[in-house]
Amino acid sequence: MHPRYAAIFDIENLELNQYYCSQANTLSQSTTASSLTINEQLFADIKLSAKPIIINSVVQGSEMQLNDNQLTLPTPQLNASEKRALWALMSEHLDKL
């Protein structure tokens, strides 16, 4: 359940632990990622919009994710749909704080 809805209904927001995560998600976290150089303005915007979250590095990977202060992006140049997915991902992480 989304944290916002949990707050509205005054119930505890629960998340599944690693044991119940899908195997695909577990495999994607274990893959080796290479460092990625992105546009300075984009990186500054990302850091500014995710203010409580600290992002130290950006790496290239198969899917977009944010783990342990490391942002994984598919390419250095993001199209409009990838940017929307990035902002949705950061919003999801900010809602957990």
Side-chain angles (χ1 to χ4, degrees):
M1 176 178 282
H2 195 279
R4 289 181 186 155
Y5 298 127
I8 291 171
F9 295 119
D10 196 30
I11 58 175
E12 185 176 347
N13 182 34
L14 300 176
E15 293 183 28
L16 297 177
N17 63 23
Q18 290 294 334
Y19 178 78
Y20 294 104
C21 286
S22 67
Q23 187 175 14
N25 190 18
T26 306
L27 290 175
S28 69
Q29 291 177 357
S30 64
T31 58
T32 308
S34 60
S35 182
L36 186 66
T37 304
I38 62 172
N39 181 311
E40 288 181 32
Q41 184 62 47
L42 175 61
F43 192 48
D45 289 345
I46 291 170
K47 283 184 161 185
L48 183 63
S49 63
K51 196 60 167 178
I53 300 171
I54 299 170
I55 300 173
N56 294 326
S57 63
V58 179
V59 296
Q60 186 167 5
S62 59
E63 65 181 50
M64 200 175 296
Q65 53 185 322
L66 181 58
N67 294 323
D68 300 326
N69 301 338
Q70 179 176 323
L71 177 63
T72 305
L73 297 175
T75 61
Q77 295 290 338
L78 302 178
N79 61 32
S81 64
E82 291 170 332
K83 287 180 183 178
R84 282 192 294 274
L86 173 61
W87 303 130
L89 174 70
M90 291 189 319
S91 175
E92 185 178 304
H93 281 274
L94 288 170
D95 286 342
K96 292 179 183 179
L97 298 178

Coordinates of all heavy atoms in Angstrom, one line a residue:
M1 N 0.8 -1.2 0.0 CA 0.0 0.0 0.0 C 0.9 1.2 0.0 O 1.9 1.3 0.6 CB -0.9 0.0 1.2 CG -1.8 1.2 1.3 SD -2.9 1.3 2.7 CE -4.1 0.2 2.1
H2 N 0.5 2.2 -0.7 CA 1.2 3.5 -0.8 C 1.2 4.1 0.6 O 0.1 4.1 1.3 CB 0.6 4.4 -1.9 CG 1.5 5.5 -2.2 ND1 1.6 6.6 -1.5 CD2 2.3 5.6 -3.3 CE1 2.4 7.5 -2.1 NE2 2.9 6.9 -3.2
P3 N 2.3 4.7 1.0 CA 2.4 5.4 2.3 C 1.3 6.5 2.5 O 0.8 6.6 3.6 CB 3.8 6.0 2.4 CG 4.6 5.2 1.4 CD 3.6 4.8 0.4
R4 N 1.0 7.2 1.5 CA 0.0 8.2 1.6 C -1.4 7.6 2.0 O -2.1 8.2 2.9 CB -0.2 9.0 0.3 CG 1.0 9.9 0.0 CD 0.8 10.6 -1.2 NE 2.1 11.4 -1.6 CZ 2.4 11.7 -2.8 NH1 1.6 11.5 -3.8 NH2 3.5 12.4 -3.0
Y5 N -1.8 6.5 1.4 CA -3.0 5.9 1.7 C -3.0 5.3 3.1 O -4.0 5.3 3.8 CB -3.4 4.8 0.6 CG -3.6 5.4 -0.8 CD1 -2.9 4.9 -1.8 CD2 -4.4 6.5 -1.0 CE1 -3.0 5.4 -3.1 CE2 -4.6 7.0 -2.2 CZ -3.9 6.5 -3.3 OH -4.0 7.0 -4.5
A6 N -1.9 4.7 3.4 CA -1.8 4.2 4.8 C -2.0 5.3 5.8 O -2.7 5.1 6.8 CB -0.4 3.6 5.0
A7 N -1.5 6.5 5.6 CA -1.6 7.6 6.5 C -3.1 8.0 6.5 O -3.6 8.3 7.6 CB -0.7 8.8 6.1
I8 N -3.7 8.1 5.4 CA -5.1 8.5 5.3 C -6.0 7.5 6.1 O -6.9 7.9 6.9 CB -5.6 8.6 3.9 CG1 -5.0 9.7 3.2 CG2 -7.2 8.7 3.8 CD1 -5.2 9.8 1.7
F9 N -5.8 6.2 6.0 CA -6.6 5.2 6.6 C -6.1 4.9 8.0 O -6.6 4.0 8.7 CB -6.7 3.9 5.8 CG -7.4 4.1 4.5 CD1 -6.7 3.9 3.3 CD2 -8.7 4.6 4.5 CE1 -7.4 4.1 2.1 CE2 -9.4 4.7 3.3 CZ -8.7 4.5 2.1
D10 N -5.0 5.6 8.4 CA -4.4 5.4 9.8 C -4.1 3.9 10.0 O -4.4 3.4 11.1 CB -5.4 5.9 10.9 CG -4.6 6.1 12.2 OD1 -3.4 6.4 12.1 OD2 -5.3 6.0 13.2
I11 N -3.4 3.3 9.0 CA -2.9 2.0 9.2 C -1.4 2.0 8.9 O -0.9 2.9 8.3 CB -3.6 1.0 8.3 CG1 -3.4 1.4 6.8 CG2 -5.1 0.8 8.7 CD1 -4.0 0.4 5.8
E12 N -0.7 1.0 9.4 CA 0.7 0.9 9.3 C 1.0 0.4 7.8 O 0.5 -0.5 7.3 CB 1.3 -0.2 10.2 CG 2.8 -0.2 10.2 CD 3.3 -1.2 11.3 OE1 2.6 -1.5 12.2 OE2 4.5 -1.5 11.2
N13 N 2.0 1.2 7.2 CA 2.4 0.8 5.9 C 3.4 -0.3 6.0 O 4.4 -0.2 6.7 CB 3.1 2.0 5.2 CG 3.5 1.7 3.8 OD1 2.9 1.0 3.1 ND2 4.6 2.3 3.4
L14 N 3.2 -1.4 5.3 CA 4.0 -2.6 5.4 C 4.7 -2.8 4.0 O 4.2 -2.5 3.0 CB 3.2 -3.8 5.7 CG 2.4 -3.8 7.0 CD1 1.6 -5.1 7.1 CD2 3.4 -3.7 8.2
E15 N 6.0 -3.2 4.1 CA 6.7 -3.5 2.9 C 7.3 -4.9 3.1 O 7.6 -5.4 4.2 CB 7.9 -2.6 2.8 CG 7.5 -1.2 2.5 CD 8.7 -0.2 2.3 OE1 9.7 -0.7 1.8 OE2 8.5 0.9 2.5
L16 N 7.4 -5.6 2.0 CA 7.9 -7.0 2.0 C 9.4 -7.0 2.2 O 10.1 -6.1 1.6 CB 7.5 -7.7 0.7 CG 6.1 -7.9 0.4 CD1 5.9 -8.6 -1.0 CD2 5.4 -8.8 1.5
N17 N 9.9 -7.9 2.9 CA 11.4 -8.0 3.1 C 12.0 -8.7 1.9 O 11.3 -9.1 1.0 CB 11.7 -8.6 4.4 CG 11.3 -10.1 4.5 OD1 11.1 -10.7 3.5 ND2 11.2 -10.6 5.7
Q18 N 13.3 -8.7 1.9 CA 14.0 -9.3 0.7 C 13.6 -10.7 0.4 O 13.7 -11.2 -0.7 CB 15.5 -9.2 1.0 CG 16.1 -7.8 1.0 CD 16.0 -7.2 -0.4 OE1 16.0 -7.9 -1.4 NE2 16.0 -5.9 -0.4
Y19 N 13.2 -11.5 1.4 CA 12.8 -12.9 1.2 C 11.7 -13.0 0.2 O 11.6 -13.9 -0.6 CB 12.5 -13.5 2.5 CG 12.0 -15.0 2.4 CD1 13.0 -16.0 2.2 CD2 10.7 -15.3 2.4 CE1 12.6 -17.3 2.1 CE2 10.3 -16.6 2.3 CZ 11.2 -17.6 2.2 OH 10.8 -18.9 2.0
Y20 N 10.8 -12.0 0.2 CA 9.6 -12.1 -0.6 C 9.7 -11.3 -1.9 O 8.8 -11.3 -2.7 CB 8.4 -11.6 0.1 CG 8.0 -12.5 1.3 CD1 8.3 -12.2 2.6 CD2 7.4 -13.7 1.1 CE1 8.0 -13.0 3.6 CE2 7.1 -14.6 2.1 CZ 7.4 -14.2 3.4 OH 7.2 -15.0 4.4
C21 N 10.8 -10.6 -2.2 CA 11.0 -9.9 -3.4 C 11.1 -10.9 -4.6 O 11.6 -12.0 -4.4 CB 12.3 -9.0 -3.3 SG 12.1 -7.6 -2.3
S22 N 10.8 -10.4 -5.7 CA 10.9 -11.3 -6.9 C 12.3 -11.6 -7.2 O 13.2 -10.8 -6.9 CB 10.2 -10.6 -8.1 OG 11.0 -9.4 -8.5
Q23 N 12.5 -12.7 -7.9 CA 13.9 -13.1 -8.2 C 14.5 -12.1 -9.2 O 15.7 -11.9 -9.1 CB 13.9 -14.5 -8.8 CG 15.3 -15.1 -9.0 CD 15.2 -16.5 -9.5 OE1 14.1 -17.0 -9.9 NE2 16.3 -17.2 -9.4
A24 N 13.7 -11.6 -10.1 CA 14.2 -10.6 -11.1 C 14.8 -9.4 -10.4 O 15.8 -8.9 -10.8 CB 13.1 -10.2 -12.1
N25 N 14.1 -8.9 -9.4 CA 14.6 -7.7 -8.6 C 15.9 -8.0 -7.9 O 16.8 -7.2 -7.9 CB 13.5 -7.3 -7.6 CG 13.8 -5.9 -7.0 OD1 14.6 -5.2 -7.5 ND2 13.2 -5.6 -5.9
T26 N 16.0 -9.2 -7.3 CA 17.2 -9.6 -6.6 C 18.4 -9.7 -7.6 O 19.5 -9.3 -7.3 CB 17.0 -11.0 -5.9 OG1 15.8 -10.8 -5.1 CG2 18.2 -11.3 -5.1
L27 N 18.1 -10.3 -8.8 CA 19.2 -10.4 -9.8 C 19.6 -9.1 -10.3 O 20.8 -8.9 -10.5 CB 18.7 -11.3 -10.9 CG 18.5 -12.8 -10.6 CD1 17.9 -13.5 -11.8 CD2 19.8 -13.4 -10.2
S28 N 18.7 -8.1 -10.5 CA 19.1 -6.8 -11.0 C 19.9 -6.1 -10.0 O 20.8 -5.3 -10.4 CB 17.8 -6.0 -11.4 OG 17.1 -5.6 -10.2
Q29 N 19.7 -6.3 -8.7 CA 20.5 -5.6 -7.7 C 22.0 -6.2 -7.7 O 22.9 -5.5 -7.3 CB 19.9 -5.7 -6.3 CG 18.6 -4.9 -6.2 CD 17.9 -5.1 -4.9 OE1 18.4 -5.8 -4.1 NE2 16.9 -4.4 -4.7
S30 N 22.1 -7.4 -8.1 CA 23.4 -8.0 -8.0 C 24.3 -7.9 -9.2 O 25.5 -8.2 -9.2 CB 23.3 -9.5 -7.6 OG 22.6 -10.2 -8.7
T31 N 23.7 -7.3 -10.3 CA 24.5 -7.2 -11.5 C 25.5 -6.0 -11.3 O 25.3 -5.1 -10.6 CB 23.6 -6.8 -12.7 OG1 22.9 -5.7 -12.4 CG2 22.7 -8.0 -13.0
T32 N 26.6 -6.2 -12.0 CA 27.7 -5.2 -11.9 C 27.3 -4.0 -12.8 O 26.9 -4.2 -14.0 CB 29.0 -5.8 -12.4 OG1 29.3 -6.9 -11.7 CG2 30.1 -4.8 -12.2
A33 N 27.5 -2.8 -12.3 CA 27.1 -1.6 -13.0 C 28.4 -0.7 -13.3 O 29.2 -0.7 -12.4 CB 26.1 -0.8 -12.3
S34 N 28.4 -0.1 -14.4 CA 29.6 0.8 -14.7 C 29.2 2.2 -14.4 O 28.0 2.6 -14.5 CB 30.0 0.6 -16.2 OG 28.9 0.9 -17.0
S35 N 30.2 3.0 -14.1 CA 30.0 4.4 -13.8 C 29.4 5.1 -15.0 O 29.7 4.8 -16.2 CB 31.3 5.1 -13.4 OG 31.1 6.4 -13.1
L36 N 28.6 6.1 -14.8 CA 27.9 6.8 -15.9 C 28.0 8.3 -15.7 O 27.9 8.8 -14.6 CB 26.4 6.5 -15.9 CG 25.5 7.0 -17.0 CD1 25.9 6.3 -18.3 CD2 24.1 6.7 -16.7
T37 N 28.4 9.0 -16.8 CA 28.6 10.5 -16.7 C 27.3 11.1 -17.4 O 27.0 10.8 -18.5 CB 29.8 10.9 -17.5 OG1 30.9 10.3 -17.0 CG2 30.0 12.4 -17.4
I38 N 26.6 11.9 -16.6 CA 25.4 12.5 -17.1 C 25.6 14.0 -17.1 O 26.5 14.6 -16.5 CB 24.1 12.2 -16.2 CG1 24.3 12.6 -14.8 CG2 23.9 10.7 -16.3 CD1 23.0 12.5 -14.0
N39 N 24.6 14.7 -17.7 CA 24.7 16.2 -17.8 C 24.7 16.8 -16.4 O 24.0 16.4 -15.5 CB 23.4 16.6 -18.6 CG 23.3 18.1 -18.7 OD1 23.5 18.9 -17.8 ND2 23.0 18.5 -19.9
E40 N 25.6 17.8 -16.2 CA 25.7 18.4 -14.9 C 24.4 19.0 -14.4 O 24.1 18.9 -13.2 CB 26.8 19.5 -14.9 CG 28.2 18.9 -15.0 CD 29.3 20.0 -15.0 OE1 29.1 21.0 -14.4 OE2 30.3 19.8 -15.7
Q41 N 23.7 19.7 -15.3 CA 22.4 20.3 -14.9 C 21.4 19.2 -14.4 O 20.7 19.4 -13.4 CB 21.9 21.1 -16.0 CG 20.6 21.9 -15.6 CD 20.9 22.9 -14.5 OE1 21.8 23.7 -14.5 NE2 20.0 22.9 -13.5
L42 N 21.3 18.1 -15.2 CA 20.4 17.0 -14.8 C 20.8 16.5 -13.4 O 19.9 16.3 -12.6 CB 20.4 15.9 -15.8 CG 19.6 14.7 -15.5 CD1 18.1 15.0 -15.3 CD2 19.8 13.6 -16.6
F43 N 22.1 16.3 -13.2 CA 22.5 15.7 -11.9 C 22.2 16.7 -10.8 O 21.8 16.3 -9.7 CB 24.0 15.4 -11.9 CG 24.5 14.6 -10.8 CD1 23.8 13.5 -10.4 CD2 25.6 14.9 -10.1 CE1 24.2 12.7 -9.3 CE2 26.1 14.2 -9.0 CZ 25.4 13.1 -8.6
A44 N 22.4 18.0 -11.0 CA 22.1 19.0 -10.0 C 20.6 19.1 -9.7 O 20.2 19.2 -8.6 CB 22.6 20.4 -10.5
D45 N 19.8 18.9 -10.8 CA 18.3 18.9 -10.6 C 17.9 17.7 -9.8 O 17.0 17.8 -8.9 CB 17.6 18.9 -11.9 CG 17.7 20.3 -12.6 OD1 18.1 21.3 -12.0 OD2 17.4 20.3 -13.9
I46 N 18.5 16.5 -10.1 CA 18.2 15.3 -9.3 C 18.5 15.5 -7.9 O 17.7 15.1 -7.0 CB 18.9 14.1 -10.0 CG1 18.4 13.8 -11.3 CG2 18.9 12.9 -9.0 CD1 19.2 12.8 -12.1
K47 N 19.7 16.0 -7.6 CA 20.1 16.2 -6.2 C 19.2 17.2 -5.5 O 18.9 17.0 -4.3 CB 21.6 16.7 -6.1 CG 22.6 15.6 -6.3 CD 24.0 16.1 -6.2 CE 25.0 15.0 -5.9 NZ 26.3 15.6 -5.6
L48 N 18.8 18.2 -6.1 CA 18.0 19.2 -5.5 C 16.6 18.7 -5.3 O 16.0 18.9 -4.2 CB 17.9 20.5 -6.5 CG 17.1 21.6 -6.0 CD1 17.7 22.2 -4.7 CD2 17.0 22.7 -7.0
S49 N 16.0 17.9 -6.2 CA 14.7 17.4 -6.0 C 14.6 16.3 -5.0 O 13.5 16.1 -4.4 CB 14.1 17.0 -7.3 OG 14.8 15.9 -7.9
A50 N 15.7 15.6 -4.8 CA 15.7 14.5 -3.8 C 16.4 14.9 -2.6 O 17.2 14.1 -2.0 CB 16.4 13.3 -4.5
K51 N 16.3 16.1 -2.1 CA 17.1 16.7 -1.1 C 17.3 15.8 0.2 O 18.5 15.7 0.5 CB 16.4 18.0 -0.6 CG 17.3 18.9 0.2 CD 18.5 19.3 -0.6 CE 19.2 20.4 0.0 NZ 20.4 20.8 -0.7
P52 N 16.4 15.2 0.8 CA 16.8 14.4 2.0 C 17.6 13.1 1.6 O 18.3 12.6 2.4 CB 15.4 14.0 2.6 CG 14.4 14.8 1.9 CD 14.9 15.3 0.7
I53 N 17.4 12.7 0.3 CA 18.2 11.5 -0.2 C 19.5 12.0 -0.7 O 19.5 12.9 -1.5 CB 17.4 10.8 -1.3 CG1 16.0 10.3 -0.7 CG2 18.2 9.6 -1.8 CD1 15.1 9.8 -1.8
I54 N 20.6 11.4 -0.3 CA 21.9 11.7 -0.8 C 22.3 10.8 -1.9 O 22.3 9.6 -1.8 CB 22.9 11.7 0.3 CG1 22.6 12.6 1.4 CG2 24.3 11.9 -0.2 CD1 23.4 12.5 2.7
I55 N 22.6 11.3 -3.1 CA 23.0 10.5 -4.2 C 24.5 10.8 -4.5 O 24.8 12.0 -4.9 CB 22.1 10.8 -5.5 CG1 20.7 10.5 -5.2 CG2 22.6 10.1 -6.7 CD1 19.7 11.0 -6.3
N56 N 25.3 9.9 -4.3 CA 26.8 10.0 -4.4 C 27.3 9.7 -5.8 O 28.3 10.2 -6.3 CB 27.5 9.2 -3.4 CG 27.3 9.8 -2.0 OD1 27.1 11.0 -1.8 ND2 27.2 8.9 -1.0
S57 N 26.6 8.7 -6.5 CA 27.1 8.3 -7.8 C 25.9 7.9 -8.7 O 24.9 7.5 -8.2 CB 28.1 7.1 -7.6 OG 27.4 6.0 -7.0
V58 N 26.2 7.9 -10.0 CA 25.3 7.5 -11.0 C 26.0 6.4 -11.8 O 27.1 6.6 -12.3 CB 24.8 8.7 -11.9 CG1 23.9 8.2 -13.0 CG2 24.3 9.8 -11.1
V59 N 25.3 5.3 -11.9 CA 25.9 4.2 -12.7 C 24.9 3.8 -13.8 O 23.7 4.1 -13.7 CB 26.2 3.0 -11.8 CG1 27.3 3.3 -10.8 CG2 25.0 2.5 -11.1
Q60 N 25.4 3.0 -14.8 CA 24.5 2.5 -15.8 C 24.1 1.1 -15.5 O 24.9 0.3 -15.1 CB 25.3 2.6 -17.2 CG 24.4 2.3 -18.4 CD 25.0 2.6 -19.7 OE1 26.2 3.0 -19.7 NE2 24.3 2.5 -20.7
G61 N 22.8 0.9 -15.7 CA 22.3 -0.5 -15.5 C 21.1 -0.7 -16.4 O 20.7 0.2 -17.2
S62 N 20.6 -1.9 -16.3 CA 19.5 -2.3 -17.2 C 18.2 -1.6 -16.9 O 17.3 -1.3 -17.7 CB 19.3 -3.8 -17.2 OG 19.0 -4.2 -15.9
E63 N 17.9 -1.3 -15.6 CA 16.7 -0.6 -15.2 C 17.0 0.5 -14.2 O 18.0 0.5 -13.5 CB 15.7 -1.6 -14.6 CG 16.1 -2.3 -13.3 CD 15.1 -3.2 -12.8 OE1 14.7 -4.1 -13.6 OE2 14.8 -3.1 -11.6
M64 N 16.1 1.5 -14.1 CA 16.3 2.6 -13.2 C 16.0 2.2 -11.8 O 14.9 1.6 -11.5 CB 15.3 3.7 -13.7 CG 15.7 5.1 -13.3 SD 14.6 6.3 -14.0 CE 14.9 6.2 -15.7
Q65 N 16.9 2.5 -10.9 CA 16.7 2.2 -9.5 C 17.6 3.1 -8.6 O 18.5 3.7 -9.1 CB 16.9 0.8 -9.2 CG 18.2 0.2 -9.6 CD 18.3 -1.3 -9.4 OE1 17.7 -1.8 -8.4 NE2 18.9 -2.1 -10.3
L66 N 17.2 3.2 -7.4 CA 17.9 4.0 -6.4 C 18.2 3.2 -5.2 O 17.3 2.8 -4.4 CB 17.1 5.3 -6.0 CG 17.7 6.3 -5.0 CD1 19.0 6.8 -5.5 CD2 16.7 7.4 -4.8
N67 N 19.5 2.8 -5.0 CA 19.9 1.9 -3.8 C 21.2 2.5 -3.2 O 22.1 2.7 -3.9 CB 20.1 0.5 -4.3 CG 18.9 -0.2 -4.8 OD1 17.8 0.1 -4.2 ND2 19.0 -1.0 -5.8
D68 N 21.2 2.5 -1.9 CA 22.4 2.9 -1.2 C 23.1 4.1 -1.7 O 24.3 4.1 -2.0 CB 23.4 1.7 -1.2 CG 22.8 0.5 -0.5 OD1 22.0 0.7 0.5 OD2 23.0 -0.7 -0.9
N69 N 22.4 5.2 -1.9 CA 23.0 6.5 -2.4 C 23.6 6.4 -3.8 O 24.4 7.1 -4.2 CB 24.1 7.0 -1.4 CG 23.5 7.2 -0.1 OD1 22.3 7.4 0.1 ND2 24.4 7.2 0.9
Q70 N 23.1 5.4 -4.5 CA 23.6 5.2 -5.9 C 22.4 5.1 -6.8 O 21.5 4.3 -6.6 CB 24.4 3.9 -6.0 CG 24.9 3.6 -7.4 CD 25.7 2.3 -7.4 OE1 26.5 2.1 -6.5 NE2 25.6 1.6 -8.4
L71 N 22.4 6.0 -7.8 CA 21.3 6.0 -8.8 C 21.7 5.2 -10.0 O 22.8 5.4 -10.6 CB 21.0 7.5 -9.2 CG 19.9 7.7 -10.3 CD1 18.6 7.2 -9.8 CD2 19.9 9.2 -10.6
T72 N 20.9 4.3 -10.5 CA 21.1 3.5 -11.7 C 20.2 4.0 -12.8 O 19.0 4.1 -12.6 CB 20.9 2.0 -11.4 OG1 21.7 1.6 -10.3 CG2 21.3 1.2 -12.7
L73 N 20.8 4.4 -13.9 CA 20.1 4.9 -15.1 C 20.4 4.0 -16.3 O 21.5 3.5 -16.4 CB 20.4 6.3 -15.4 CG 20.1 7.4 -14.3 CD1 20.6 8.7 -14.7 CD2 18.6 7.4 -14.1
P74 N 19.5 3.9 -17.2 CA 19.8 3.1 -18.4 C 20.7 3.7 -19.4 O 21.5 3.1 -20.1 CB 18.4 2.8 -19.0 CG 17.5 3.9 -18.5 CD 18.1 4.3 -17.2
T75 N 20.6 5.1 -19.5 CA 21.5 5.8 -20.5 C 21.8 7.2 -19.9 O 21.1 7.7 -19.0 CB 20.7 6.0 -21.8 OG1 19.6 6.8 -21.6 CG2 20.4 4.7 -22.5
P76 N 22.9 7.8 -20.4 CA 23.2 9.1 -19.9 C 22.2 10.2 -20.4 O 22.0 11.2 -19.7 CB 24.6 9.4 -20.5 CG 24.8 8.4 -21.5 CD 23.9 7.3 -21.3
Q77 N 21.6 10.0 -21.5 CA 20.6 10.9 -22.1 C 19.2 10.3 -21.9 O 18.9 9.3 -22.4 CB 20.8 11.2 -23.6 CG 22.1 11.9 -23.9 CD 22.1 13.3 -23.4 OE1 21.1 13.9 -23.2 NE2 23.3 13.9 -23.2
L78 N 18.4 11.0 -21.1 CA 17.1 10.5 -20.8 C 16.0 11.1 -21.7 O 16.0 12.3 -21.8 CB 16.7 10.7 -19.3 CG 17.6 10.1 -18.3 CD1 17.2 10.5 -16.9 CD2 17.7 8.6 -18.4
N79 N 15.1 10.3 -22.2 CA 14.0 10.9 -23.0 C 12.9 11.3 -22.0 O 13.0 11.1 -20.8 CB 13.5 9.9 -24.0 CG 13.0 8.6 -23.5 OD1 12.4 8.6 -22.4 ND2 13.1 7.5 -24.2
A80 N 11.8 11.8 -22.5 CA 10.7 12.3 -21.6 C 10.1 11.3 -20.8 O 9.9 11.5 -19.6 CB 9.7 13.0 -22.5
S81 N 9.9 10.1 -21.3 CA 9.3 9.0 -20.5 C 10.2 8.5 -19.4 O 9.8 8.2 -18.3 CB 8.8 7.9 -21.4 OG 9.9 7.3 -22.0
E82 N 11.5 8.5 -19.7 CA 12.5 8.1 -18.7 C 12.6 9.1 -17.6 O 12.8 8.8 -16.5 CB 13.9 7.8 -19.4 CG 13.9 6.6 -20.3 CD 15.2 6.5 -21.1 OE1 15.8 7.6 -21.4 OE2 15.5 5.4 -21.5
K83 N 12.5 10.4 -18.0 CA 12.6 11.4 -17.0 C 11.3 11.3 -16.0 O 11.5 11.5 -14.8 CB 12.6 12.8 -17.6 CG 14.0 13.1 -18.2 CD 14.0 14.5 -18.8 CE 15.3 14.8 -19.5 NZ 15.4 16.1 -20.1
R84 N 10.2 11.1 -16.6 CA 9.0 10.9 -15.8 C 9.2 9.7 -14.8 O 8.8 9.7 -13.7 CB 7.7 10.7 -16.7 CG 7.2 12.0 -17.2 CD 5.8 11.8 -17.9 NE 5.8 10.9 -19.0 CZ 6.1 11.3 -20.3 NH1 6.3 12.6 -20.5 NH2 6.1 10.5 -21.3
A85 N 9.7 8.6 -15.4 CA 10.0 7.4 -14.5 C 11.0 7.7 -13.4 O 10.8 7.3 -12.3 CB 10.5 6.3 -15.4
L86 N 12.0 8.6 -13.7 CA 13.0 9.0 -12.7 C 12.3 9.8 -11.6 O 12.5 9.5 -10.4 CB 14.1 9.8 -13.4 CG 15.1 10.4 -12.4 CD1 15.9 9.3 -11.6 CD2 16.1 11.3 -13.2
W87 N 11.5 10.7 -12.0 CA 10.8 11.6 -10.9 C 9.8 10.7 -10.1 O 9.7 10.9 -8.9 CB 10.1 12.8 -11.6 CG 11.0 13.7 -12.4 CD1 10.8 14.1 -13.6 CD2 12.3 14.2 -12.0 NE1 11.8 14.9 -14.1 CE2 12.8 14.9 -13.1 CE3 13.1 14.1 -10.9 CZ2 14.0 15.6 -13.1 CZ3 14.3 14.7 -10.8 CH2 14.8 15.5 -11.9
A88 N 9.2 9.8 -10.8 CA 8.3 8.9 -10.0 C 9.1 8.0 -9.1 O 8.7 7.8 -7.9 CB 7.5 8.0 -11.0
L89 N 10.2 7.5 -9.5 CA 11.1 6.7 -8.6 C 11.6 7.5 -7.4 O 11.5 7.0 -6.3 CB 12.3 6.2 -9.4 CG 13.4 5.5 -8.6 CD1 12.9 4.1 -8.2 CD2 14.6 5.3 -9.4
M90 N 12.0 8.7 -7.6 CA 12.5 9.6 -6.5 C 11.3 9.9 -5.6 O 11.4 9.9 -4.4 CB 13.2 10.8 -7.0 CG 14.5 10.5 -7.7 SD 15.5 11.9 -8.1 CE 14.4 13.1 -8.7
S91 N 10.1 10.2 -6.1 CA 8.9 10.5 -5.3 C 8.6 9.3 -4.5 O 8.2 9.4 -3.3 CB 7.8 10.8 -6.2 OG 6.6 11.0 -5.5
E92 N 8.7 8.1 -5.0 CA 8.4 6.9 -4.2 C 9.4 6.7 -3.1 O 9.0 6.4 -1.9 CB 8.6 5.7 -5.2 CG 8.2 4.3 -4.6 CD 8.4 3.2 -5.6 OE1 7.7 3.3 -6.7 OE2 9.1 2.3 -5.4
H93 N 10.7 7.0 -3.3 CA 11.6 7.0 -2.2 C 11.4 8.1 -1.2 O 11.6 7.9 0.0 CB 13.1 7.0 -2.7 CG 13.5 5.7 -3.3 ND1 14.1 4.7 -2.5 CD2 13.4 5.2 -4.5 CE1 14.4 3.7 -3.2 NE2 14.0 3.9 -4.5
L94 N 11.0 9.3 -1.6 CA 10.8 10.4 -0.7 C 9.5 10.1 0.2 O 9.5 10.5 1.3 CB 10.6 11.7 -1.5 CG 11.9 12.2 -2.1 CD1 11.5 13.4 -3.0 CD2 12.8 12.7 -1.0
D95 N 8.6 9.4 -0.4 CA 7.4 9.1 0.4 C 7.7 8.1 1.5 O 7.0 8.1 2.5 CB 6.3 8.4 -0.5 CG 5.6 9.5 -1.4 OD1 5.7 10.7 -1.1 OD2 5.0 9.1 -2.4
K96 N 8.7 7.3 1.4 CA 9.1 6.4 2.4 C 9.8 7.1 3.6 O 9.9 6.5 4.7 CB 10.0 5.3 1.9 CG 9.4 4.4 0.9 CD 10.3 3.4 0.4 CE 9.7 2.5 -0.7 NZ 10.6 1.5 -1.2
L97 N 10.3 8.3 3.4 CA 11.0 9.0 4.5 C 10.0 9.6 5.5 O 9.0 10.0 5.3 CB 11.9 10.1 3.9 CG 13.0 9.6 3.0 CD1 13.8 10.8 2.5 CD2 13.9 8.7 3.7

